[in-house]
Amino acid sequence: MGWGGGAEDSGEGVMATDFFWSYTDEPHASRRKEILARYPQIRELFGPDPWAFLKITAAVVLQLWTATYLHDASWLRILTVAYFFGSFLNHNLFLAIHELSHNLAFSSPSYNRWLGIFANLPIGVPMSITFQKYHLEHHRYQGVDGIDMDIPSHVEALAVTNAVTKSIWVLFQLFFYALRPVFLKPKPPGLWEFTNLMIQLALDVSLVHFWGWKSFAYLILATFVGGGMHPMAGHFISEHYVFRPEQETYSYYGPLNMMTWSVGYHNEHHDFPRIPGSRLYKVKAIAPEYYESLKSYRSWSQVIYMYMMDCTVGPFSRMKRRASKDAATTKKEE
């Protein structure tokens, strides 16, 4: 891969002052083509996960029941349950929405959107429909400047320059992740976004009306703490933050994959976004030579610690590339 800028010019032990710039295409499309030519049986893994609906329903019902159960609990108890229990459920549902953005529960896109709106309910804030729009661009235009909103803004990168500011950024990374597209690349809402908003507001208002503010606060806290300084949130950093310049996507092969729709198999996911998380491990098993040589992780908590304490790593530690003609057209149309 051709690359330049960023840490290459920053010197050893110094944080980069620009992103890594790649002068080649993202690696996943070419690797996908090569793997399918060698292992055509991987196509048999494509298609929806028949258990997705039941798994999502169980998580939604359990989380909403927990919220009502805590309606008269102390704030300390609510915070404790939110961090050690509810955060895992809400982050699981966030990643279920990620799965649904690729239409991996049903063959019909509209059914996946409806299930995404349902999975959104315990998260407390409407995001399912909007997430899909930006996330599919992240796949199609990985790293493309001005289009891939998964990459931190220049303002974030300039402000977050040491262990203290990185710790604050990690704590509030869910806000940056959610609000970055709104400021940098806003998209006009449509009927689906309006539907997502109205159904979410109906649930939130009903919860407050019948059970009180503490039940609603529990859901919001579970979302917030689960997206910040939390083991589950380590995937935000581990997936694409560059710890070695020649690699821009990283997989995680630890136990939390069981609770996160196997989003840790991230190289495999970007190579084959039409394969549900429950089958991604089979990709690595069928074509191990394509993945075993890549750097991967076993602990998301360790990734968070590395990110905060490594003085050479920060928001600039992401791979960018200039827009191709196709991407430039998309950017202009926005």
Side-chain angles (χ1 to χ4, degrees), residues 164-324:
V164 174
T165 52
K166 282 193 284 185
S167 298
I168 295 171
W169 185 89
V170 168
L171 186 64
F172 293 97
Q173 66 178 320
L174 200 59
F175 288 98
F176 291 108
Y177 191 85
L179 297 177
R180 187 185 302 135
V182 176
F183 288 100
L184 298 183
K185 196 170 180 283
K187 294 178 180 289
L191 179 59
W192 278 106
E193 284 89 348
F194 179 76
T195 303
N196 192 180
L197 173 64
M198 289 297 101
I199 292 176
Q200 189 64 55
L201 285 177
L203 182 279
D204 294 347
V205 170
S206 298
L207 195 64
V208 172
H209 177 75
F210 291 106
W211 298 98
W213 284 101
K214 286 187 173 182
S215 291
F216 177 65
Y218 163 74
L219 295 181
I220 297 299
L221 279 171
T223 298
F224 171 68
V225 298
M229 202 75 72
H230 191 280
M232 297 273 273
H235 76 89
F236 288 127
I237 297 171
S238 74
E239 291 167 356
H240 297 290
Y241 279 80
V242 177
F243 285 82
R244 56 165 64 179
E246 67 274 13
Q247 186 175 331
E248 62 180 291
T249 304
Y250 301 77
S251 289
Y252 156 84
Y253 300 125
L256 286 178
N257 275 315
M258 293 186 293
M259 303 181 67
T260 57
W261 298 81
S262 293
V263 74
Y265 285 81
H266 216 66
N267 267 300
E268 294 85 344
H269 168 61
H270 271 264
D271 288 352
F272 299 100
R274 294 173 60 189
I275 297 178
S278 60
R279 300 183 203 130
L280 283 175
Y281 74 95
K282 295 182 179 180
V283 174
K284 185 171 183 285
I286 292 171
E289 67 272 25
Y290 287 94
Y291 301 104
E292 289 181 349
S293 62
L294 298 175
K295 177 177 172 58
S296 61
Y297 302 109
R298 293 285 179 178
S299 169
W300 277 331
S301 297
Q302 183 184 25
V303 171
I304 294 174
Y305 178 81
M306 289 164 50
Y307 176 80
M308 293 189 301
M309 302 309 295
D310 188 335
C311 63
T312 67
V313 177
F316 273 130
S317 300
R318 291 292 300 264
M319 194 72 72
K320 273 193 173 188
R321 49 182 48 87
R322 304 296 180 186
S324 64

Side-chain angles (χ1 to χ4, degrees), residues 17 28 41-42 51 80 98 116 197 210 257 312 320 324 331:
T17 56
H28 302 289
Q41 66 267 36
I42 282 182
W51 295 98
T80 302
H98 165 263
L197 173 64
F210 291 106
N257 275 315
T312 67
K320 273 193 173 188
S324 64
K331 185 176 179 181

